[in-house]
Amino acid sequence: MKSLLSSKPVLWFLFLFNLVVAAIAPFVVDGAQGMVTSVGMGVISLGAGVGLLRGNGRANGARQSA
């Protein structure tokens, strides 16, 4: 499961989908629930973005050492 979640296509999907939901949620859902949804999805999107950046660093490091 970990290898699936750390694959680039899955991370890109999580990053973009959650970023879009975080941007739209306050306009679709009223009140505090929309804000909490936006913050939660934003945190997930940031986590996926960090995973993408760390994945690039590991891939480049592996190529340089090989």
Side-chain angles (χ1 to χ4, degrees):
M1 185 72 169
K2 187 176 181 178
S3 63
L4 174 68
L5 288 176
S6 63
S7 68
K8 273 194 175 186
V10 172
L11 286 174
W12 273 111
F13 172 76
L14 287 172
F15 175 69
L16 294 173
F17 177 77
N18 288 305
L19 187 64
V20 168
V21 171
I24 294 174
F27 302 107
V28 176
V29 181
D30 291 331
Q33 186 176 3
M35 294 306 292
V36 170
T37 301
S38 179
V39 168
M41 292 298 213
V43 168
I44 293 170
S45 180
L46 286 174
V50 167
L52 282 169
L53 292 175
R54 285 187 180 169
N56 286 342
R58 275 186 278 163
N60 290 339
R63 286 186 198 134
Q64 291 173 355
S65 64

